[in-house]
C-alpha cells in the first residue's frame, strides 16, 4: 500500500471515524483505524463492535480536485490515538503513507518522517451488514432536533439496558422518538418524507450512538437512515454510521400518559424556568432536587424549595391561565429543568392529575412533543 | 443589618472574593462570605486562611451613581456556594438584604424571596495584617506576564512546600520572579517604577495564589503590591488580595545556571515547537516524555522520539545558527514545550554544556527571561 493524500481530507475522515473508538476496548485491533486503499477510494473504518463508523475519501473530489494519488492499493490498521493527534499537526498539505514489511507504516509530510507499527487488517472485524432494511431520508437539522428533544431522558442504569436507548417508531410518515428512565419521559414526533405504508416498531438505538451521531451531522445535510434487522445505518454525506440495535422489548408507555387532567397550568417558559432554576440552587443541596409547586384559581403560582440548615427559596409568578383544582405538588426540579432546556416554545402547558400521577408538559407552539415527570411523594 | 444594593456590583464582588474559598476547608465559618455594611461602604471577605480576598463596594460610585442604600449597618457571614450562584440569577437589578434574629438573612429581588441561615461574623478570622511593608506599583499586564512566564515551573510536590511557590526578589528597581521544581526552572525580570534603594529577597508566594490573582487583574489596571513580614497584599482596583508568604529558605539556584556553553543553537520558535510537539505525541507514550535532539556544524537539527511497540518520529529542521561541539542530548519534551508556550519571541537561543548539564533557553528578543531544563540521561 502506497499513496499520497490531502492532509485536510484525511484529518477530517480520521476525526469522524475516531468517534467510534472506545477507550475501554479489550481487543487490541479495535484501538486502531483501518485504512483501505483501492484505485477508486480510500475508506477509513473504526469500531467498538456496537458502533462502526466508515468515512470515504474519493480519489477525485466532486469539483475535480485530486485528493489522493494511489501508487499501490492495500490495507492496514493504524493506532487511532496517535493518528487522531498527529495527522492534524503534520507540516504540509499532503501526506505520504507507505506500508512495508510486517505492516510497518511510514508517514511522511514535509520533513516529518514517522514510523508506526501497523496491525494486520485480516484481524479487523467485518463491517456490519444491514439486511431487510427500510430506508428513508430526513433533514439533518430535523434529525438533530428529534434526538436532542428526547435523548436526555434515557436511563444511565446499565441494569435496564433497553432504557439506555431511544425508542423509534414509524407509522404513516410520522417518525416518533421516545425515551424514559422510569422517573420521566420525553417524546417527540416529526413528519418525514416516507411512504405512508412504511412502518417499523420497537427499534431502540443506544443514546451513546445518537450523542456521537449528532456531532457529525451538519444542519444543511440530509441523512439517509436504513433500519435493518439488527443494525441501523446513518448515511451522512461521506460518512457511514452503523449502530447495533438494542435487544429486548421496550416497555409500553402509552398507558402511563394521562389524557384527562384535574388541573391545567399555562405559564411563560422563561419566567417559570428562571424561578425553577433559583429554587433548584437550594433544592440540589438535598439529593432529591425537590421543589414544591402551588397554584390556585387566582393564577398565583408559588415555587418553594428548602435545604435544612441552609435556607429556603420562595418564588412567585403569575400563570397565564390556570383551570381546575388548586394544586400542591412536589417534583424533581432537575427533571423539569432538563425538559425546559429542549423546549423552544415561549409558552408551556402543564397538566396535573393528582399528587401521585404523572405531570405532563407540552410546548405551547403546537409541536407534538411531550414531557412527563413523576411527582415526588412528600410527607407534607 | 439592612440594605438595598445593585445586583451587578454585588455579583462582581461575590465572584471576586469567592476565589479564596477552598472546597477543602474544615472550618464551617470559612465556607461563608462575610458582608460588612457601614455607612461608607460594603465590604465582602472570603478566606482560606492562606489567602484572603476583600472586595469593596462604595455607597456612591465615582460617576455619582447610588450603588447602595444602607438602612441599618451590620455584619453577617453567608454561605458562599449558594451566594455565588444565586446573586447572578436574581430577577431584578437591585437586591434587598436584611439580617434578622440569629443571623437569619432575607434576600429579596422582584418576586424572589430567599431565607438563608447566616453565620456569626464574630467567629470570622480577622483580616491579615501587613506590617513593615514595602509598597510599589506595577502595570496589570506586566504583572500577569511575569507570573505567566514562571508559575508553570513550580513544583506540585507538597513534600517541598517552598518550591510550590514563586520566588520574588527586588533590587535596583529590577523585579525578578523565579520558579523551579528541581527538573526545570523559569525566571524573568521586569524593570518597575520603584526607588533604586528599595529591595527585598527570599519572598516566596504560593503558585495557587498567583494563579487566582491573574484571573482578577485586567491589563489596564495598575496593581499596588505591599510586601510585609508574613503577608503580601495585592491591591487591584476595589479588590484586596492578601496571601501568606511561604515559610522557609528558597534554594540558591544561581550556581546551577551555566554561563559558558559547549554548543549554542539558534532556531525559529515556531518551527522548533511544531517539530517538538509532533515528537512529543509519541514521547508521551513513555512516561518520561523523552525526545533526542541532535545538531551538527552544518546546522541540520534532528529531533527524534520513539515508543516501543508504537513507532518513532523523526523531525528535521535547519538551525538559524549553530556553533560549538556537535550535539546529542535527551530531555523531557513536555518541559521544553511548557517553556516555549510562554516565549513570545520568534527566535530561541539555546545553550548546551554537555549531556548531563542544564540546557538554557532564552528568547531571541532580548527579554531577560531564562528557562532551564535538566537533560535526561539515556543509555544510548
Amino acid at each position: 500500500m502506497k499513496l499520497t493524500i490531502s492532509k485536510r481530507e484525511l484529518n477530517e475522515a480520521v476525526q469522524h471515524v475516531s468517534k467510534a473508538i472506545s477507550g475501554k476496548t479489550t481487543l487490541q485491533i479495535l484501538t486502531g483505524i483501518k485504512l483501505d486503499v483501492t484505485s477508486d477510494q480510500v475508506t477509513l473504518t473504526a469500531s467498538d463492535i456496537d458502533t462502526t463508523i466508515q468515512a470515504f475519501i474519493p480519489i477525485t473530489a466532486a469539483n475535480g480536485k485530486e485528493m489522493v494519488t494511489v501508487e499501490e492499493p492495500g490495507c492496514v490498521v493504524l493506532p487511532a490515538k496517535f493518528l487522531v493527534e498527529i495527522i492534524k499537526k503534520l507540516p504540509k498539505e499532503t501526506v505520504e503513507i507507505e506500508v512495508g514489511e510486517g505492516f510497518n507504516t511510514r508517514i511522511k509530510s514535509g520533513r516529518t518522517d514517522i514510523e508506526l507499527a501497523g496491525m494486520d487488517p485480516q484481524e479487523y472485524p467485518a463491517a456490519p451488514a444491514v439486511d431487510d432494511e427500510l430506508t428513508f431520508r430526513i433533514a439533518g437539522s430535523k434529525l438533530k432536533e428529534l434526538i436532542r428533544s428526547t435523548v436526555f431522558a434515557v436511563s444511565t442504569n446499565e441494569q435496564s439496558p433497553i432504557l439506555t436507548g431511544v425508542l423509534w417508531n414509524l407509522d404513516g410518515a410520522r417518525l416518533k422518538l421516545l425515551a424514559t428512565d422510569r422517573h420521566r419521559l420525553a417524546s417527540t414526533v416529526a413528519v418525514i418524507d416516507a411512504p405512508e405504508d412504511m412502518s417499523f416498531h420497537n427499534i431502540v438505538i443506544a443514546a451513546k450512538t445518537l450523542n456521537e451521531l449528532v456531532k457529525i451531522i451538519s444542519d444543511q445535510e440530509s441523512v439517509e437512515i436504513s433500519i435493518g434487522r439488527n443494525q441501523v445505518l446513518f448515511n451522512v454525506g461521506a460518512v457511514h454510521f452503523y449502530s447495533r440495535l438494542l435487544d429486548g422489548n421496550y416497555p409500553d408507555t402509552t398507558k402511563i400518559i394521562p389524557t384527562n387532567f384535574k388541573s391545567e397550568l399555562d405559564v411563560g417558559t422563561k419566567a417559570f424556568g428562571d424561578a425553577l432554576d433559583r429554587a433548584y440552587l437550594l433544592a440540589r443541596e438535598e439529593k432529591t432536587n425537590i421543589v414544591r409547586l402551588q397554584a390556585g384559581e387566582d393564577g398565583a403560582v408559588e415555587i418553594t424549595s428548602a435545604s435544612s440548615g441552609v435556607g429556603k427559596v420562595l418564588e412567585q409568578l403569575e400563570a397565564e391561565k390556570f383551570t381546575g383544582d388548586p394544586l400542591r405538588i412536589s417534583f424533581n426540579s432537575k427533571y423539569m429543568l432538563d425538559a425546559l432546556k429542549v423546549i423552544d416554545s415561549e409558552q408551556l402547558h402543564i397538566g396535573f392529575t393528582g399528587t401521585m400521577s404523572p405531570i405532563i408538559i407540552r410546548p405551547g407552539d403546537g409541536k407534538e412533543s411531550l414531557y412527563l415527570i413523576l411527582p415526588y411523594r412528600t410527607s407534607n
Side-chain angles (χ1 to χ4, degrees), chain A:
Chain A
M1 183 182 127
K2 190 173 179 189
L3 75 160
T4 306
I5 186 165
S6 145
K7 178 180 81 173
R8 192 161 166 270
E9 305 298 322
L10 180 61
N11 180 46
E12 206 170 286
V14 165
Q15 304 304 328
H16 279 332
V17 302
S18 69
K19 299 198 166 59
I21 304 271
S22 159
K24 290 184 228 152
T25 187
T26 49
L27 279 172
Q28 172 72 7
I29 193 80
L30 292 185
T31 62
I33 292 175
K34 188 168 76 147
L35 271 80
D36 234 312
V37 179
T38 67
S39 53
D40 297 328
Q41 65 181 1
V42 175
T43 307
L44 279 79
T45 308
S47 177
D48 72 348
I49 299 294
D50 287 344
T51 304
T52 300
I53 307 180
Q54 288 195 315
F56 303 94
I57 306 169
I59 301 301
T60 312
N63 63 8
K65 198 187 151 200
E66 286 291 313
M67 309 227 266
V68 189
T69 312
V70 178
E71 223 168 289
E72 196 193 329
C75 198
V76 71
V77 178
L78 296 176
K81 188 183 158 199
F82 184 65
L83 224 51
V84 164
E85 294 293 327
I86 193 73
I87 301 295
K88 66 178 165 209
K89 291 188 170 171
L90 289 175
K92 297 289 174 188
E93 278 318 299
T94 58
V95 185
E96 207 184 300
I97 305 178
E98 186 177 359
V99 180
E101 204 67 34
F103 302 104
N104 206 32
T105 303
R106 201 91 179 255
I107 301 176
K108 286 191 203 175
S109 178
R111 296 181 71 185
T112 298
D113 190 345
I114 297 162
E115 271 181 60
L116 280 184
M119 291 174 273
D120 185 353
Q122 299 282 349
E123 287 178 32
Y124 204 86
V130 182
D131 38 22
D132 297 336
E133 74 266 26
L134 287 173
T135 298
F136 59 95
R137 295 193 80 86
I138 184 169
S141 56
K142 197 184 269 188
L143 178 59
K144 285 205 281 188
E145 170 75 12
L146 283 172
I147 294 171
R148 192 179 76 99
S149 303
T150 50
V151 74
F152 68 88
V154 299
S155 171
T156 52
N157 185 347
E158 294 292 337
Q159 298 295 309
S160 346
I162 195 80
L163 295 185
T164 64
V166 175
L167 176 69
W168 292 49
N169 281 302
L170 178 68
D171 259 314
R174 288 164 49 85
L175 178 64
K176 180 173 176 182
L177 270 66
L178 182 148
T180 181
D181 64 0
R182 297 193 201 274
H183 304 287
R184 45 133 163 222
L185 176 151
S187 81
T188 189
V189 174
V191 174
I192 61 163
D193 189 17
E196 276 289 321
D197 60 352
M198 184 186 275
S199 74
F200 55 78
H201 302 99
N202 202 34
I203 295 297
V204 186
I205 305 176
K208 202 178 62 151
T209 296
L210 297 174
N211 284 326
E212 291 301 337
L213 180 68
V214 292
K215 290 183 199 160
I216 65 169
I217 300 174
S218 75
D219 283 349
Q220 291 71 38
E221 258 165 341
S222 140
V223 180
E224 189 184 87
I225 305 179
S226 296
I227 294 186
R229 240 184 312 147
N230 306 307
Q231 291 279 342
V232 56
L233 164 59
F234 297 92
N235 198 329
V236 188
V239 179
H240 283 186
F241 200 112
Y242 295 87
S243 177
R244 197 177 62 72
L245 298 176
L246 295 190
D247 286 332
N249 281 309
Y250 203 88
D252 180 12
T253 55
T254 50
K255 285 175 208 132
I256 65 162
I257 300 173
T259 45
N260 290 306
F261 300 109
K262 287 190 184 156
S263 326
E264 291 180 68
L265 171 66
D266 288 5
V267 280
T269 309
K270 183 161 166 33
F272 187 67
D274 285 353
L276 206 59
D277 197 22
R278 289 186 289 264
Y280 165 68
L281 290 179
L282 259 196
R284 70 175 176 183
E285 296 293 312
E286 310 287 304
K287 286 207 179 88
T288 47
N289 299 317
I290 288 185
V291 300
R292 189 159 69 185
L293 177 71
Q294 281 184 267
E297 271 172 43
D298 59 354
V301 178
E302 274 190 17
I303 298 170
T304 49
S305 66
S307 173
S308 66
V310 185
K312 52 190 178 184
V313 173
L314 162 66
E315 292 283 343
Q316 294 180 295
L317 65 155
E318 295 302 322
E320 299 192 350
K321 192 175 149 196
F322 182 81
T323 54
D325 297 349
L327 187 70
R328 186 170 166 158
I329 198 164
S330 296
F331 58 86
N332 183 323
S333 50
K334 179 67 167 54
Y335 289 167
M336 183 69 88
L337 286 168
D338 283 348
L340 263 52
K341 249 183 247 165
V342 300
I343 295 178
D344 297 324
S345 165
E346 281 177 26
Q347 262 83 37
L348 295 178
H349 182 81
I350 314 181
F352 305 86
T353 355
T355 51
M356 292 310 296
S357 300
I359 302 169
I360 300 295
I361 305 112
R362 288 179 190 276
D365 58 6
K367 259 196 205 153
E368 276 190 76
S369 302
L370 177 150
Y371 301 91
L372 176 155
I373 294 171
L374 287 184
Y376 195 90
R377 189 208 294 258
T378 54
S379 48
N380 58 341

